[in-house]
Amino acid sequence: MIYDIFMPALSSTMTEGKIVSWTKSPGDKVEKGETVLVVESDKADMDVESFNEGYLAAILVPAGEEAPVGATLGLVVETEAEIAEAQAKAGSGGGSSAAPTATPAPQQPEPVAIASGTTTTETASVPSSNGNGKSSGRIIASPRAKKLAKELKVDLATIAGTGPHGRIVAADIESTAGKPVTASIAAPSAPAPKTFPAPTPTVTSTPSVPVGQTVPLTTFQKALVQNMVAAMAAPTFRVGYTITTDGLDQLYKQIKGKGVTMTALLAKAVALALKKHPIVNASYTDQGIIYHKDVNIALAVAMPDGGLITPVLQNADQVDIYSLSRRWKELVERARAKQLQPEEYSTGTFTISNLGMFGVDRFDAILPPGQGGILAVGASRPQVVANEEGLIGTKRQMAVNVTCDHRVIYGAHAAAFLKDLAVIIEENAQSLTM
């Protein structure tokens, strides 16, 4: 029997992917669920697993080339005797006639598995999981969880997975071993400046570019272009506000020694304001307006090699500031290592983008597809201001500018949201630690 290895739909916007590398060579033994290649999706490098046990007979799309979603990338056979037959079919340009019946159609896996990309394609193994990280007797675990388990000498068979359909994820290994997941991540994360609020770590160097050359877009860049073009179709408007940050700065000085980041403080403040204004946390669809029950704050992070990604602090209004800070540090490290799970970058209900770390006073942010608003945060600077009595003094202030989808949010809604955000930061900063 000959089986096809398909290009999976690793995200809702993905139309094609690039083969980063093959982990198996023709003739190699392949176990069911074993990683056979790595695909560059629109958000991260993803491991693609084999649906079947057997032998890799042929590679149809070599490393470095791109293929559309659903295309056949390689062939797997059940026995070594079938390798020559499969290679002959590959050489003649023919695919496997058995693939439609022997392998699930790539466009029909459960939505959880392919909603927005995943570190491993779960379309074959996840649906039959029994909730203990096992499917048909086989342990279901992400590649990162497997690697971490090996490093920390944890037996996967003893782990109860908390991922989709009982899949074992890295956090499960962390809780069992009592060690932070970030210990296995080698990618460094540059610290954020401490002189003003900065929701994202500073990029310390500008990526080198091949001046004078035309370089094809990466899969990541193509997806970003598609998202931005789609975003321009939404009718948007912008509302600005100047917020005094003296109270926030003072709070940050008091608790930064406990690992609290300014990013987490800003995310918490925005989340609390959104809780009071659920319409600003809503989003438009052709079926109607979605009023999200969770407040998930996405924060734009610049990637070292260009582009950006938006890791998500889920339920930011409910998580304490110390846990939120630890979570953010971990997300940034794994984002730059291209190790985020789909729910960690695709579930945002509202986004914060900060260029204040570069000294930018104010700017307009582009509305992300699927969200109702995005907040652009400028630099916090000492400003000479006059109080209500006309006395002159100095205060630290930052300019924020919210971009809204006018199909969901109106000007009065945006203004009320910004006013309450200012009240939280200026008059009730201590509430961020509660």
Side-chain angles (χ1 to χ4, degrees):
M1 186 74 71
I2 302 176
Y3 304 99
D4 289 357
I5 300 174
F6 293 105
M7 172 66 77
L10 298 173
S11 77
S12 57
T13 59
M14 180 176 169
T15 59
E16 62 182 14
K18 181 179 180 181
I19 309 302
V20 176
S21 64
W22 284 85
T23 60
K24 294 288 184 178
S25 300
D28 287 351
K29 185 74 169 67
V30 174
E31 300 293 338
K32 183 178 179 180
E34 185 177 10
T35 298
V36 290
L37 74 155
V38 180
V39 172
E40 180 186 63
S41 77
D42 54 354
K43 297 294 184 182
D45 291 346
M46 310 295 186
D47 292 343
V48 177
E49 297 178 352
S50 173
F51 290 135
N52 309 98
E53 180 180 352
Y55 296 86
L56 180 62
I59 293 175
L60 304 183
V61 182
E65 294 190 8
E66 296 182 348
V69 169
T72 300
L73 307 177
L75 302 177
V76 172
V77 296
E78 289 184 338
T79 65
E80 288 185 278
E82 297 172 298
I83 293 178
E85 178 188 353
Q87 290 177 342
K89 285 191 175 185
S92 63
S96 170
S97 59
T101 56
T103 305
Q107 67 272 24
Q108 295 180 352
E110 292 197 10
V112 172
I114 64 169
S116 297
T118 174
T119 303
T120 175
T121 53
E122 302 165 293
T123 54
S125 57
V126 168
S128 60
S129 175
N130 62 9
N132 293 318
K134 296 182 179 180
S135 176
S136 303
R138 185 175 67 83
I139 295 174
I140 306 285
S142 70
R144 185 161 173 271
K146 293 177 182 177
K147 179 180 179 182
L148 192 60
K150 183 177 181 180
E151 292 176 354
L152 301 180
K153 295 180 174 56
V154 174
D155 185 0
L156 288 173
T158 65
I159 305 297
T162 61
H165 299 274
R167 178 170 176 261
I168 299 173
V169 296
D172 300 326
I173 308 300
E174 174 193 15
S175 61
T176 300
K179 295 184 179 181
V181 171
T182 52
S184 64
I185 301 299
S189 177
K194 299 181 180 180
T195 56
F196 50 83
T200 59
T202 302
V203 178
T204 57
S205 61
T206 302
S208 59
V209 295
V211 178
Q213 300 181 31
T214 300
V215 180
L217 296 177
T218 64
T219 305
F220 183 90
Q221 290 170 324
K222 288 180 181 178
L224 189 60
V225 170
Q226 292 173 355
N227 284 340
M228 294 304 97
V229 171
M232 299 307 292
T236 59
F237 70 96
R238 298 164 182 82
V239 179
Y241 208 100
T242 300
I243 300 177
T244 298
T245 64
D246 288 335
L248 185 67
D249 294 336
Q250 182 61 36
L251 174 64
Y252 176 58
K253 291 178 181 178
Q254 294 173 359
I255 60 179
K256 67 178 181 179
K258 299 180 180 179
V260 174
T261 64
M262 182 58 78
T263 296
L265 286 171
L266 287 173
K268 182 76 171 182
V270 170
L272 294 178
L274 288 172
K275 197 67 176 178
K276 294 183 178 180
H277 301 275
I279 196 168
V280 184
N281 193 49
S283 59
Y284 172 85
T285 69
D286 291 337
Q287 290 72 41
I289 298 174
I290 301 176
Y291 295 96
H292 302 285
K293 63 182 180 65
D294 297 326
V295 179
N296 297 337
I297 304 297
L299 298 111
V301 172
M303 300 293 282
D305 55 351
L308 59 86
I309 193 169
T310 53
V312 178
L313 289 171
Q314 297 180 346
N315 299 307
D317 60 313
Q318 302 175 25
V319 180
D320 69 87
I321 194 64
Y322 305 102
S323 299
L324 208 61
S325 295
R326 290 192 297 269
R327 178 63 174 158
W328 177 244
K329 290 179 180 178
E330 177 192 344
L331 284 172
V332 171
E333 288 182 350
R334 294 201 286 112
R336 295 191 170 179
K338 295 185 177 182
Q339 294 291 332
L340 289 181
Q341 296 293 315
E343 65 272 13
E344 294 174 325
Y345 61 74
S346 63
T347 56
T349 58
F350 188 90
T351 297
I352 297 175
S353 178
N354 175 42
L355 292 180
M357 66 183 70
F358 300 106
V360 173
D361 292 320
R362 63 179 68 238
F363 67 102
D364 293 336
I366 298 177
L367 182 71
Q371 296 184 21
I374 178 172
L375 186 70
V377 179
S380 177
R381 302 180 183 280
Q383 304 285 350
V384 177
V385 296
N387 61 20
E388 294 181 357
E389 287 75 31
L391 299 177
I392 302 297
T394 301
K395 294 182 178 180
R396 294 189 65 88
Q397 295 183 327
M398 67 179 181
V400 298
N401 197 7
V402 62
T403 301
C404 301
D405 187 337
H406 214 327
R407 296 170 296 185
V408 181
I409 304 166
Y410 299 144
H413 300 142
F417 162 72
L418 290 178
K419 182 178 180 181
D420 279 345
L421 175 62
V423 170
I424 292 172
I425 293 176
E426 294 178 350
E427 303 176 14
N428 199 19
Q430 290 294 330
S431 66
L432 303 179
T433 63
M434 299 176 181

